[in-house]
Amino acid sequence: MLRLPLEAARRGAIALTIDDGPDPVVTPALLDTLDRYGARASFFCIGVRAARHRDLVREIARRGHSVENHTQHHSPWFSLHGLRRLRVEIEAAQDILGTLAGRAPRFFRAPAGLRSPLLDPVINRLGLRQVAWTRRGFDTVTSDPARVLGRLTRRLVAGDILLLHDGGGRIASNGRAVALEVLPALLEHIARRGWRCLSLPVACP
């Protein structure tokens, strides 16, 4: 899935997705910002990081966001794994994230969005839907919040799926994660247009 369904777009929905966490510094600050704007997001969490920060995963879910599957280890070689290794990576994350969040993830994103031809039978068996993105800020590449914000908002339309990171993102010149600097302006841009940030399970029931 590259975009939200047409019906969600007609309702003015935007999906904000946040990858590679949870992070004990960045994630709580993102959650506070989302709360201030009444926005909801989907956090694609890495299983081993979730296991290290269990209370944080529970807090993501408690605040009304969704916790989704981003594999157990986020291996850069994920797209080259055989069928058995793919199954182990995805099932392990599914188990830990479902236990901590109180519901099994419904959506899956491969590391760096790189697909394997063997992936579909694994995620189909678990009832997962694969999600990519319409636009990304490249906040793991650039330390300039203005450039990241521009990439996300330029030609932004309802139905888009946006990508930021709470794990592994770059740090801005003020010492804060780029995603933290970008998020308030991004949410204000979305609100001014009368759109709403929804989690993926709400936007795609």
Side-chain angles (χ1 to χ4, degrees):
M1 182 168 66
L2 296 172
R3 293 181 49 77
L4 295 178
L6 184 58
E7 183 176 339
R10 287 173 176 158
R11 290 186 282 121
I14 297 282
L16 175 60
T17 63
I18 300 172
D19 281 15
D20 295 0
D23 178 271
V25 174
V26 179
T27 308
L30 287 176
L31 290 173
D32 289 344
T33 301
L34 290 164
D35 276 356
R36 284 200 302 274
Y37 287 88
R40 295 294 177 264
S42 292
F43 287 77
F44 282 85
C45 294
I46 299 170
V48 293
R49 294 184 182 176
R52 287 198 296 268
H53 306 291
R54 292 170 179 258
D55 287 344
L56 194 45
V57 178
R58 295 185 184 104
E59 184 68 4
I60 292 170
R62 188 189 71 78
R63 295 207 199 184
H65 310 284
S66 76
V67 174
E68 307 300 344
N69 191 323
H70 202 33
T71 74
Q72 184 71 357
H73 294 96
H74 199 271
S75 166
W77 313 113
F78 178 81
S79 63
L80 304 178
H81 289 344
L83 188 60
R84 180 181 178 280
R85 183 74 180 275
L86 288 174
R87 188 183 303 117
V88 167
E89 275 290 305
I90 297 169
E91 288 182 353
Q94 192 77 354
D95 288 345
I96 184 68
L97 296 174
T99 297
L100 295 175
R103 70 149 186 90
R106 287 179 45 196
F107 297 89
F108 172 80
R109 178 173 286 155
L114 298 175
R115 290 178 54 91
S116 161
L118 303 176
L119 189 56
D120 284 348
V122 178
I123 63 173
N124 290 344
R125 178 174 169 270
L126 294 170
L128 290 164
R129 294 175 64 183
Q130 182 155 219
V131 177
W133 53 83
T134 314
R135 57 191 71 242
R136 62 187 298 185
F138 288 97
D139 56 320
T140 58
V141 177
T142 178
S143 300
D144 182 353
R147 290 181 64 189
V148 173
L149 180 64
R151 290 186 179 115
L152 291 170
T153 57
R154 195 175 298 117
R155 295 185 294 276
L156 179 65
V157 296
D160 278 350
I161 299 173
L162 309 183
L163 171 60
L164 282 170
H165 294 79
D166 58 348
R170 297 295 294 271
I171 302 300
S173 59
N174 64 359
R176 281 165 48 91
V178 169
L180 293 176
E181 296 299 293
V182 167
L183 188 57
L186 174 62
L187 295 176
E188 288 169 8
H189 179 94
I190 290 167
R192 282 196 300 270
R193 282 148 182 80
W195 302 331
R196 294 185 303 152
C197 275
L198 302 178
S199 68
L200 286 167
V202 173
C204 309

